[in-house]
Amino acid sequence: MHDLYIIHHIQVIIYFNSYVTARWTSDNRQIARLCHMYPTKSEITPLTTDLMSQIKANGPISIASYMRQVLTGPMGGYYMNSDVFGSKGDFTTSPEINQMFGELVGIWLYYQWMQTQPRSQAQIIELGPGRGTLSADMLRTMGQFRNLKEDLSLHLVELSPKLSQIQEETICKYNTEVAASVKELDVKPAGCYKALITNDGIPIFWYYNLEDVPNNEYSMIVANEFFDALPIHQFRRANGNWSEVMIDVDEGNGEHHLKFALAPRPTLHAKLYTKDVMFAKNCKTKDVIEVCPDSVITCKEIANRLQRHGGCALVIDYGDFGTGSDTIRAFRKHKQVHVLDAPGTADLTADVDFAFIKRSIESNDGKVKFYGPIPQGHFLLQMGIQARLKALIKDLGNSQKNDLLSAYDMLVNPNKMGLRFKVACMVYPGSDKPPAFGENK
């Protein structure tokens, strides 16, 4: 009996010491966090809470699911409710730097239209139009050609209510002086959620999906920094096997509320894509591979559209020709941050695999031709940006000249955007040498 008492007493002491140790550790971690001695968790946003609830209920999610919810989801999606572009936003695109970019894109489209037996009607389609700056510059340039302007329309594929409003203001120059001349169209195509006609008489339509845009005219499609925001699946080689990278809740002492984790068993996407021919080719030289299914869907829709009524497409984005690996990243206030830091408050992006796009286009039966990618700087120089620079700069003051020269340098300098960003095009009927591209690669 006495021995049992001693054993019980020892157990109580051990339990008490364990409790005190655990409590001491917990309390001291809290004190350390308050004193910035121990890493704190990143900001918990409403979207973070929602994602954590989803994962706890249904298990880890793919990076593609995470990107889709973070960028365009209704629960605090990054693009849905704010203007994220320009110096006051999180990143700056080429059209926001200077008008020359959009003007030369417009010239390229017009030249291609003229080369392929121009029809009486043509439509410009921009995917992910941002603030509408590129479309505004293209319309202003292409509107100077009377043979095209009279039957030209603009179609914008945009999910964000906030950005569609900004696009309306940018393209239509919507202010008190011209508001009366910007009219809403009474008749909208099926799938169109907003339709206006500009002061110049050019109709503009907004859609949520490319598939909703009417497919009965010659189409000139532009995608500037569109494909990089499409959701990707990532696969990592571990112990000789390929596993999909998932996102799970981090209940430990990690820096963020979420964490990356390898799927414990093959996912549906892993089974599907690791058997792909291009995947097999890439896996010989890489330990991390990213696949973007949405880019395939978009490319096939573009190819079908061009084949049906003719047209061309221009893709401008940063990326590579099948050499990229672990490229997903996040940007906030023009600085790179962790992908899992405060979901919904930073832009997510992954390099575009132009080889993957080329294969998607040509797998349609090869009638639509793919050219590029070529460096953005080369494209702009071939399209005459230097001549345009000289025309713009001659009547400017010193301060404005310096701003223009700085913008020119940013767009074409290989150490800036000139080499980092690439340009590719798709054409049908095929032209041997689309402007700036030369021989088919």
Side-chain angles (χ1 to χ4, degrees), residues 74-90:
M75 190 71 178
Y78 173 74
Y79 286 113
M80 301 307 284
N81 300 304
S82 60
D83 180 4
V84 298
F85 300 92
S87 59
K88 295 181 180 180
D90 296 312

Side-chain angles (χ1 to χ4, degrees), residues 176-243:
T176 53
E177 294 179 2
V178 300
S181 63
V182 179
K183 301 176 182 178
E184 184 169 358
L185 294 175
D186 296 327
V187 180
K188 301 182 182 69
C192 170
Y193 66 84
K194 180 165 63 172
L196 298 172
I197 186 165
T198 69
N199 187 38
D200 293 328
I202 298 175
I204 307 176
F205 307 90
W206 279 262
Y207 310 81
Y208 292 120
N209 302 291
L210 175 58
E211 294 82 358
D212 295 330
V213 179
N215 189 7
N216 51 18
E217 297 176 7
Y218 184 96
S219 294
M220 297 175 279
I221 303 170
V222 179
N224 180 64
E225 292 198 51
F226 171 79
F227 281 92
D228 70 276
L230 296 179
I232 57 115
H233 290 271
Q234 189 182 88
F235 306 94
R236 189 175 294 271
R237 194 202 309 264
N239 300 321
N241 297 314
W242 287 96
S243 300

